[in-house]
């Protein structure tokens, strides 16, 4: 497999920012702030992952990284929630990657999670029989809360954090569609697919523990992406995978492009 190109690495960054932009603009209190050194997508909710800052471009010096973190820290210091700073390894000069954690620590940021940016030009055919789940589109409070609750449980945050972030009727639009895999009317797994530029971005893929290893996540993802292809004409799809999800996505035809580190800062005054 050829090494990922700079174009694909840049695309993975743009897709991440673009998806989080949609989440912020779909939130009742959210906003997007574009500064020269940092791109901020703030839902202004308790779940820190949804109050995010991103680099605008690759950085070559420690001073540039510090300036971006400082700008984001000033913005979030005026609020009351924790926040995250998402940094792509390939957007840092190799000489400074090892020093990034200590630089960001000055701004209350600590590395909490790594994800792999992945892309598929088209999905590989499924090698498993169709699992016994029914697919429900997110069209009402039940669906929104199912997506919220499944993800809050999987990411080990309080349920009300998830509902504050994702139980928003303004979030789900023709360009942001959610789906829930169900068995016997119980929500088992979720997927949200967003139209970002010319690709379908996949987010909030999660499965309740009792339904894992039964094909629920793959089934609801395939259903969501088939709907995206039908509605938007998109086959290329991008996501950012945790280590637990990466084997599933690889089997589905995704390939790794780059790595991201999510640094978290506590709410102002709690650091």
């Amino acid at each position: 497999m050829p090494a990922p190109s700079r174009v694909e690495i840049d695309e993975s960054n743009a897709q991440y920012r673009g998806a989080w932009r949609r989440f912020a603009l779909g939130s009742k209190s959210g906003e997007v702030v574009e500064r020269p050194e940092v791109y901020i997508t703030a839902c202004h909710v308790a779940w820190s992952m949804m109050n995010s800052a991103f680099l605008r471009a690759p950085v070559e010096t420690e001073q540039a990284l510090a300036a971006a973190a400082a700008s984001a820290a000033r913005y979030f210091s005026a609020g009351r929630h924790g926040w995250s700073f998402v940094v792509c390894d390939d957007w840092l000069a190799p000489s400074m990657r090892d020093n990034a954690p200590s630089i960001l620590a000055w701004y209350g940021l600590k590395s909490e999670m790594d994800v792999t940016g992945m892309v598929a030009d088209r999905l590989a055919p499924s090698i498993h029989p169709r699992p016994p789940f029914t697919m429900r589109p997110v069209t009402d409070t039940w669906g929104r809360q199912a997506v919220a609750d499944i993800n809050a449980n999987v990411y080990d945050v309080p349920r009300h954090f998830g509902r504050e972030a994702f139980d928003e009727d303004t979030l789900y639009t023709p360009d942001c569609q959610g789906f829930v895999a169900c068995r016997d009317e119980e929500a088992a797994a979720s997927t949200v697919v967003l139209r970002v530029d010319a690709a379908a971005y996949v987010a909030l893929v999660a499965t309740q523990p009792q339904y894992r290893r039964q094909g629920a996540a793959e089934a609801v993802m395939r259903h969501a992406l088939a709907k995206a292809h039908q509605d938007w004409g998109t086959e290329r799809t991008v996501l950012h995978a945790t280590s637990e999800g990466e084997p599933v996505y690889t089997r589905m035809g995704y390939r790794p492009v780059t790595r991201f580190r999510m640094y978290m800062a506590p709410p102002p005054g709690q650091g």
Side-chain angles (χ1 to χ4, degrees):
M1 181 181 298
S5 67
R6 172 56 63 180
V7 170
E8 288 183 323
I9 292 168
D10 291 351
E11 175 194 40
S12 194
N13 279 270
Q15 286 279 314
Y16 210 152
R17 291 194 310 268
W20 258 242
R21 173 188 174 88
R22 287 201 179 277
F23 285 134
L25 295 179
S27 176
K28 288 186 174 65
S29 301
E31 66 175 350
V32 174
V33 178
E34 299 186 44
R35 296 180 174 178
E37 67 284 347
V38 72
Y39 191 104
I40 295 168
T41 61
C43 291
H44 293 299
V45 294
W47 197 343
S48 301
M49 184 176 71
M50 304 312 299
N51 309 314
S52 295
F54 300 85
L55 295 174
R56 298 291 302 268
V59 297
E60 298 295 330
T61 67
E62 294 183 0
Q63 292 79 6
L65 179 62
S71 180
R74 286 193 299 271
Y75 172 85
F76 287 109
S77 69
R80 57 189 179 90
H81 298 302
W83 58 285
S84 64
F85 190 40
V86 180
V87 180
C88 174
D89 282 356
D90 287 307
W91 269 20
L92 298 180
S95 60
M96 58 182 290
R97 288 176 192 164
D98 289 344
N99 293 335
S102 60
I103 295 168
L104 298 178
W106 280 98
Y107 305 98
L109 291 157
K110 180 181 178 183
S111 181
E112 296 285 352
M113 184 168 66
D114 295 351
V115 295
T116 301
M118 305 185 79
V119 63
D121 296 309
R122 62 188 57 82
L123 295 185
S126 177
I127 61 174
H128 299 295
R130 183 174 177 176
F133 295 95
T134 57
M135 304 301 161
R136 289 180 58 171
V138 173
T139 58
D140 55 15
T141 300
W142 182 90
R144 295 193 301 270
Q145 291 184 353
V147 172
D149 293 353
I150 293 169
N151 279 271
N153 189 31
V154 168
Y155 283 97
D156 195 27
V157 301
R159 187 173 71 169
H160 67 273
F161 280 26
R163 292 193 175 189
E164 182 189 25
F166 301 120
D167 184 11
E168 294 271 20
D169 58 1
T170 50
L171 173 61
Y172 293 95
T173 69
D175 287 335
C176 178
Q177 302 182 31
F179 298 87
V180 180
C182 302
R183 180 176 290 173
D184 299 327
E185 301 301 313
E186 184 173 359
S190 69
T191 292
V192 171
V193 62
L194 305 97
R195 187 178 188 178
V196 180
D197 300 325
Y201 184 88
V202 179
L204 302 179
V205 179
T207 305
Q208 294 285 33
Q210 65 269 33
Y211 292 109
R212 289 177 186 165
R213 301 187 184 281
Q214 298 177 39
E218 180 174 341
V220 73
M221 271 185 67
R222 287 185 180 275
H223 181 85
L225 288 168
K227 187 67 164 56
H229 179 62
Q230 174 185 313
D231 290 356
W232 309 331
T234 53
E235 279 197 294
R236 188 172 179 84
T237 168
V238 175
L239 54 76
H240 292 84
T242 63
S243 57
E244 292 82 3
E246 192 168 348
V248 176
Y249 307 137
T250 299
R251 186 172 66 243
M252 293 177 67
Y254 288 86
R255 52 188 171 80
V257 171
T258 188
R259 293 283 288 173
F260 292 80
R261 302 182 194 278
M262 187 180 294
Y263 294 82
M264 300 285 194
Q270 296 185 24

